[in-house]
Amino acid sequence: MLNKKSVEDINVEGKKVLLRCDFNVPLDIETKSKITNDKRIIESMKTINYLINHNARIILCSHIGKTKEKLSLKPVAERLSDLLEKDVKLLEEIIGDNVKAYIDQMKDGDVVLLENVRMFPEEEACDEEFAKSLASLADIYVNDAFGTCHRAHASTYGVAKYLPAVSGFLIQKELDALDKSINNPIRPFVAILGGSKVSSKIAVITALLDKVDTVIIGGGMTYTFVKALGGNIGKSICEDDKLDVAIEILKKAKEKNVEFVLPTDSVVADDFSNDANTMIVDTNNIPNEYEGVDIGPETIEKCREIIKNAGTVVWNGPVGVFEFDNFAKGTKKIAEFLAESNAVSIIGGGDSAAAVEKFGLADKMNHVSTGGGASLEFMEGKELPGIVALQDK
Ligand code: ADP
Ligand code: MG
């Protein structure tokens, strides 16, 4: 997947370039019209500016929000106009004669944005005709939507069949950072894996056991492991149908000589809310009326030691319910240890990235991925269709 052509390997002068970006940025809950975090737009600027400076005519394409919300990319067009200091018009349509007519009168260096491509069901169905129509708008296709490249949709996959297809700088940067850290890590190589469910992380844990020296488990999935080992987990979140998988994972870790760290203590709460009563207990002995919501101080200390000595740390999944301030301490401490450490730090996972940003530590990390699902699938060793579809070097 790494030997793909980039925009630098193709002549874009005077060409119409269809650039698929990931402008799926969060909007404010009340009006759905204000961007609350523009990281993904900022990260796509390098490719857009390159194309402007090389006199391409740029047709931007993206989705935003959940499919059923049918959100408009209008706030993105406005933000792009500010950042580029030029008018970026939002076309209400995506394919068809009106769009073609508009593109035909564009000049070198002009930028236009097509409306939310997921307003069309053909996008996610990867409809051939739709992909062909999209392709007919342009001479070249550039994919820079890392956050969507684990999806084989019309604008991320189908279209690449009908145009010379290359990657943008963001995809290059993401693949480079993820590949180096996972396949050529500075050792000791540590993975911190949290989040709520074992089921969503089985594939990544299993794949990483072949690569890492240490795995630290945190978050809700801790308790599936603890229960499988015979501990009392009270009301903690647990997947009872994954107890045997947890045992399998522990067995594999032993076979591979991987140090497998489960939290020894937990912050437990008598309610799933910020003002619940809490206490710190042994993770194996959680009282019946309580549930684990964060790692405890002893576990935090253990993490400090491991991170201090690490060469590379890949982190996917918060180690507690960080959305509640009272349960965010473990996640915040891990972010701080990573910020202070000399280890190469890679954050892959939507909620983990949001946590690191919430604590204001994102720019202290070596790499914070813009694609939660995509980075997870990469770490699982899967092929990403949006990248596979691009031309080889
Ligand atoms: P990422 O997006 O980084 O891959 P996940 O989506 O797997 O992370 O998991 C994030 C969610 O896990 C957060 O919403 C967080 O509240 C939840 N979580 C973490 N620890 C616990 C816990 N002990 N109990 C329940 N949920 C938890
Ligand atoms: Mg998530």
Side-chain angles (χ1 to χ4, degrees), residues 195-196 201 219-220 223 237 272 292-293 316-321 323 349-352:
S196 50
K201 303 286 160 91
Y223 307 101
I237 183 173
F272 197 74
V293 290
N316 182 296
V319 295
V321 186
E323 294 93 336
D351 291 287
S352 329

Side-chain angles (χ1 to χ4, degrees), residues 227-256:
K227 184 166 179 183
L229 290 169
N232 291 325
I233 60 165
K235 285 195 304 178
S236 305
I237 183 173
C238 178
E239 290 164 281
D240 284 313
D241 59 336
K242 292 290 176 292
L243 297 175
D244 50 343
V245 174
I247 294 293
E248 280 304 309
I249 289 172
L250 289 163
K251 223 168 87 190
K252 181 170 178 187
K254 207 166 199 175
E255 277 163 23
K256 297 268 167 187

Side-chain angles (χ1 to χ4, degrees), residues 121-153:
E122 292 91 336
E123 161 68 358
E124 286 170 278
C126 200
D127 180 82
E128 282 296 313
E129 286 308 311
F130 185 72
K132 239 187 247 180
S133 306
L134 259 180
S136 74
L137 302 176
D139 307 309
I140 292 170
Y141 170 69
V142 179
N143 188 1
D144 213 16
F146 180 73
T148 328
C149 64
H150 57 314
R151 305 278 182 229
H153 293 166

